[in-house]
Amino acid sequence: MRKTEHIGVIGAGSMGAGIAQVAATAGCKVTLFDQQKSAAISALDKLSSILDRLVKKERISNDKRNDILSLITVVDDLNQFHSADLVIEAIVEDIDIKKKLFFNLESIVAEDCVLATNTSSLSVTDLASSCEKSSRFIGIHFFNPAPLMPLVEVIPALQTDSSLVENTLDLLNSWEKIPVVAKDTPGFIVNRIARPFYGEALRIYEEGLADFKSIDEAIKTIGGFKMGPFELMDFIGNDVNYAVTASVFKAFYYDPRYKPSFTQKQHAEAGWLGRKTGRGYYNYESDLDLKSSISNDQSVEIFERVLVMLINEAVDALFLKIASEKDIELAMMKGVNYPKGLISWGREKGFDWCEQKLDELYNIYHEDRYRCSPLIRKWAAEIKS
Ligand code: NAI
């Protein structure tokens, strides 16, 4: 297989620009293309000021700054990708537009050039099918901001050559990233397992058990999470987070476990998108000194309900072979900064405790949302025997 020295990046939005920075920092030659050349040029300008700041803070030398910038070339024509060893696409999240791009790209790049998508929500297998040589296609899913977030999910399509997975892991390790391998299923690892962090918190709010601030405080103080679910949704943007939830729900053939929330939908509809609009679940002008309004016992109950739903999702992902246990644990700690791996958290609490908690919820609601993973039941039975 050819060496990976020349990276093509298509799309110079937040992700493409970040990926270009990561690759150039690792010493690769980068060719950057965006259908709007101004986007690529402004990405390069932004990168230049980011690097200036890093030089000021003495995180990198001035020579390193110059090297990184000299390795990135903005082009206005895809034909410039003919000598690329790997092309990573980070354009608009639209299956038809992405497929058309890969179809066109295949007539430009070399036979053994690897083609990769940074999609968050589309089927990698479906995208691979747009290529004649689909065995060279793979998902390489960075997290935002790519230069700062260590996790990268590597997603082989059904058609991907197995040696490509190993080579991609080696490449990402050499870029000082933490790569994990995920099966090509909706949300891959992180966006699947994290759903209850938002969904259960919203449900608890909708049932009137606590307000946003009390739920956030419970998750942070009892659970040790850096941000509560409502703060995090406000940070991500309710439009973006709602769209991911809706797309995962649909892709799972409407499994009730992933059902979106009306509260979030309405926040998005109202334009209360979060920090970027000054108002989301919180009003960032007036709500800054809100306090939790519930007792410690209530906080523990709320935290445990969210936690057990997360553990259930993580164990079920392992049960369904979405990823290895090690990768599931790493993904949640390095992709979304969870304080512990969820499976070890389940082990710490006891899987018999998890089974009982989930069954209690199921017995109250009789909703499939609260069904306990067969693997939790198996592990609980082992504890009990
Ligand atoms: P963005 O909207 O910031 O940037 C997309 C860029 O692609 C724009 O500059 C646009 O001009 C360009 N573009 C659109 N169609 C194109 C085409 N046909 N050819 C060339 N350039 C084209 O989007 P963002 O957030 O950077 O996302 C890009 C991809 O990365 C999407 O697939 C998204 O799902 C995925 N992703 C996004 C994350 C995020 O947090 N924003 C995280 C991980 C993945």
Side-chain angles (χ1 to χ4, degrees):
M1 196 164 279
R2 63 195 282 157
K3 273 190 155 180
T4 315
E5 287 163 349
H6 178 190
I7 314 293
V9 177
I10 308 185
S14 23
M15 294 312 294
I19 295 167
Q21 181 184 340
V22 170
T25 305
C28 294
K29 178 180 168 201
V30 177
T31 302
L32 180 62
F33 171 79
D34 196 289
Q35 71 179 10
Q36 281 178 288
K37 193 171 183 189
S38 58
I41 291 179
S42 98
L44 214 49
D45 285 347
K46 261 192 224 150
L47 174 58
S48 162
S49 18
I50 290 171
L51 295 175
D52 285 344
R53 274 206 303 275
L54 292 177
V55 171
K56 248 192 192 155
K57 288 188 189 162
E58 296 184 358
R59 299 255 187 85
I60 57 169
S61 66
N62 201 43
D63 285 353
K64 181 72 186 171
R65 170 206 179 271
N66 294 340
D67 287 348
I68 296 172
L69 289 176
S70 69
L71 281 166
I72 306 178
T73 311
V74 168
V75 297
D76 50 13
D77 177 0
L78 273 184
N79 287 316
Q80 309 289 326
F81 283 68
H82 63 90
S83 64
D85 306 309
L86 161 68
V87 178
I88 306 177
E89 159 281 310
I91 66 165
V92 60
E93 190 76 336
D94 180 305
I95 188 95
D96 294 327
I97 299 179
K98 285 193 198 276
K99 278 183 158 187
K100 191 166 162 229
L101 173 72
F102 285 115
F103 178 80
N104 291 336
L105 207 52
E106 235 187 349
S107 62
I108 296 167
V109 298
E111 268 284 291
D112 53 353
C113 169
V114 173
L115 299 178
T117 175
N118 184 50
T119 183
S120 303
S121 64
L122 302 171
S123 157
V124 178
T125 299
D126 195 5
L127 287 168
S129 73
S130 62
C131 298
E132 205 170 305
K133 199 176 160 206
S134 52
S135 59
R136 59 151 117 192
F137 196 92
I138 196 158
I140 304 183
H141 183 225
F142 287 82
F143 288 75
N144 194 10
L148 297 182
M149 297 300 288
L151 190 80
V152 182
E153 292 176 328
V154 172
I155 309 111
L158 204 56
Q159 307 94 318
T160 304
D161 189 313
S162 55
S163 65
L164 180 54
V165 178
E166 285 308 314
N167 290 340
T168 307
L169 294 176
D170 288 347
L171 176 74
L172 291 166
N173 277 317
S174 77
W175 288 4
E176 294 179 4
K177 290 291 172 191
I178 299 180
V180 292
V181 180
K183 213 184 218 180
D184 183 21
T185 46
F188 312 132
I189 306 176
V190 171
N191 279 335
R192 172 195 191 118
I193 296 178
R195 298 296 9 113
F197 189 68
Y198 316 109
E200 206 52 28
L202 282 155
R203 176 73 185 249
I204 288 166
Y205 165 78
E206 284 170 355
E207 286 181 21
L209 298 178
D211 55 31
F212 304 137
K213 182 69 182 180
S214 304
I215 299 170
D216 276 349
E217 286 303 311
I219 305 286
K220 288 195 293 184
T221 53
I222 319 271
F225 284 79
K226 289 208 178 91
M227 286 175 104
F230 295 99
E231 285 170 334
L232 186 53
M233 286 184 277
D234 272 358
F235 182 75
I236 296 169
N238 277 307
D239 49 344
V240 173
N241 192 264
Y242 177 74
V244 173
T245 310
S247 112
V248 169
F249 181 52
K250 186 168 169 231
F252 272 114
Y253 304 117
Y254 305 104
D255 183 332
R257 224 154 67 191
Y258 306 105
K259 196 165 156 184
S261 138
F262 284 122
T263 300
Q264 186 171 37
K265 178 170 184 274
Q266 288 180 347
H267 275 69
E269 285 168 348
W272 295 355
L273 306 183
R275 284 193 172 268
K276 61 186 172 188
T277 54
R279 178 164 192 174
Y281 297 111
Y282 296 102
N283 184 331
Y284 289 89
E285 269 141 42
S286 58
D287 285 356
L288 295 177
D289 46 9
L290 285 179
K291 299 248 176 325
S292 173
S293 60
I294 55 173
S295 69
N296 189 58
D297 284 356
Q298 286 168 310
S299 297
V300 171
E301 202 172 310
I302 284 171
F303 164 65
E304 288 185 342
R305 179 165 160 183
V306 173
L307 176 67
V308 81
M309 291 295 276
L310 286 168
I311 294 171
N312 194 36
E313 209 50 58
V315 175
D316 212 47
L318 179 63
F319 175 65
L320 295 170
K321 311 267 185 286
I322 304 307
S324 68
E325 178 168 339
K326 178 172 159 269
D327 282 0
I328 290 174
E329 300 291 79
L330 267 179
M332 303 316 285
M333 288 190 291
K334 303 295 179 188
V336 266
N337 290 325
Y338 283 12
K340 285 183 213 174
L342 290 168
I343 301 176
S344 15
W345 216 331
R347 211 161 272 133
E348 201 177 281
K349 287 284 197 185
F351 288 112
D352 48 346
W353 177 89
C354 298
E355 181 188 48
Q356 190 191 338
K357 277 263 164 210
L358 287 159
D359 284 348
E360 276 169 19
L361 288 164
Y362 187 85
N363 287 337
I364 296 170
Y365 297 105
H366 286 268
E367 282 178 54
D368 218 28
R369 172 189 184 90
Y370 298 104
R371 69 179 186 270
C372 176
S373 168
L375 191 52
I376 287 190
R377 290 207 191 284
K378 179 170 175 270
W379 286 342
E382 283 167 12
I383 293 170
K384 288 185 248 169
S385 69

